[in-house]
Amino acid sequence: MKQMDIFIAFFRSGMLGYGGGLSAIPLMHREVVETYKWMDDEEFSDILALANTLPGPINTKMSGYIGWRIGGFLGMLTALAATVLPTVILMIILLTVLHAYNDKPWVRGMSKAVVPIAGVMLGVLTWDFIKKSKNSMGWISTLIVIGISIVVINILGLHPAIMIVGLLVAALFSKQEEKEKQVKAS
């Protein structure tokens, strides 16, 4: 039954995730965190952050890891198949239809309508992450990290992985300092 749940969860998020891999992440979040409760928001956020630093499509990296974590090797294969199959099936169907009717206004309108919907889905997920950051770090720290991220990624043009690695290193050093303070206090 677990393999069927894995397949259904990732198939649904893959099938409804129009607009690229990023648009499927909020759907994957809903399935993994809210529907099946395989992990909490913090774990999902950590996986998302790490997946962003690695090369390749984010959707397959996340589904492969989450599937492996939930159902082992077979779970990984199930999640990957469920993530890839909808895309392949939809590409064949949609491109066949789009090619046949590419001069029709409704086809152009359909293609344009997907972009704002994907943007709203990403915005909702972003706001959820900001609220969670506020709860764990406070507003000031959250806004500082957001501001630094905007400067580093958008203005300086550096890859998001650099920001993520920097934050991970800072977190490791702060945890090390906390351990040293606890040892000294003992």
Side-chain angles (χ1 to χ4, degrees):
M1 189 63 177
K2 183 187 287 187
Q3 298 303 323
M4 182 60 85
D5 288 342
I6 292 171
F7 187 86
I8 290 169
F10 288 99
F11 187 83
R12 274 195 295 227
S13 62
M15 194 65 145
L16 300 173
Y18 289 94
L22 287 176
S23 65
I25 292 172
L27 300 169
M28 188 183 299
H29 177 269
R30 176 174 289 172
E31 295 292 333
V32 170
V33 175
E34 296 171 18
T35 302
Y36 289 100
K37 298 181 185 350
W38 288 322
M39 60 184 56
D40 60 23
D41 284 318
E42 186 176 337
E43 292 171 299
F44 188 86
S45 299
D46 290 344
I47 294 167
L48 176 60
L50 183 59
N52 268 320
T53 65
L54 300 172
I58 192 163
N59 222 15
T60 52
K61 291 181 285 189
M62 290 185 69
S63 62
Y65 175 75
I66 294 168
W68 172 78
R69 187 158 159 200
I70 296 162
F73 186 75
L74 186 58
M76 177 189 69
L77 294 178
T78 302
L80 285 171
T83 300
V84 172
L85 283 176
T87 304
V88 171
I89 293 167
L90 288 174
M91 285 291 290
I92 292 168
I93 293 169
L94 288 176
L95 287 177
T96 301
V97 170
L98 290 176
H99 183 68
Y101 299 103
N102 63 356
D103 58 337
K104 304 291 183 197
W106 64 269
V107 171
R108 285 183 292 231
M110 181 181 73
S111 299
K112 290 177 184 175
V114 169
V115 174
I117 293 168
V120 168
M121 290 168 46
L122 289 170
V124 168
L125 186 63
T126 300
W127 181 245
D128 284 345
F129 285 153
I130 289 171
K131 289 189 299 188
K132 288 175 185 73
S133 295
K134 188 242 352 162
N135 291 338
S136 64
M137 300 182 342
W139 272 120
I140 293 173
S141 296
T142 298
L143 293 174
I144 289 170
V145 170
I146 290 171
I148 292 170
S149 298
I150 289 170
V151 169
V152 168
I153 296 168
N154 289 332
I155 296 172
L156 298 177
L158 297 176
H159 194 277
I162 295 170
M163 185 72 191
I164 293 168
V165 168
L167 289 171
L168 289 173
V169 169
L172 287 173
F173 281 123
S174 69
K175 286 184 180 181
Q176 184 63 32
E177 288 176 12
E178 287 177 25
K179 286 181 183 177
E180 289 173 3
K181 287 179 185 177
Q182 289 175 352
V183 169
K184 288 180 183 179
S186 303

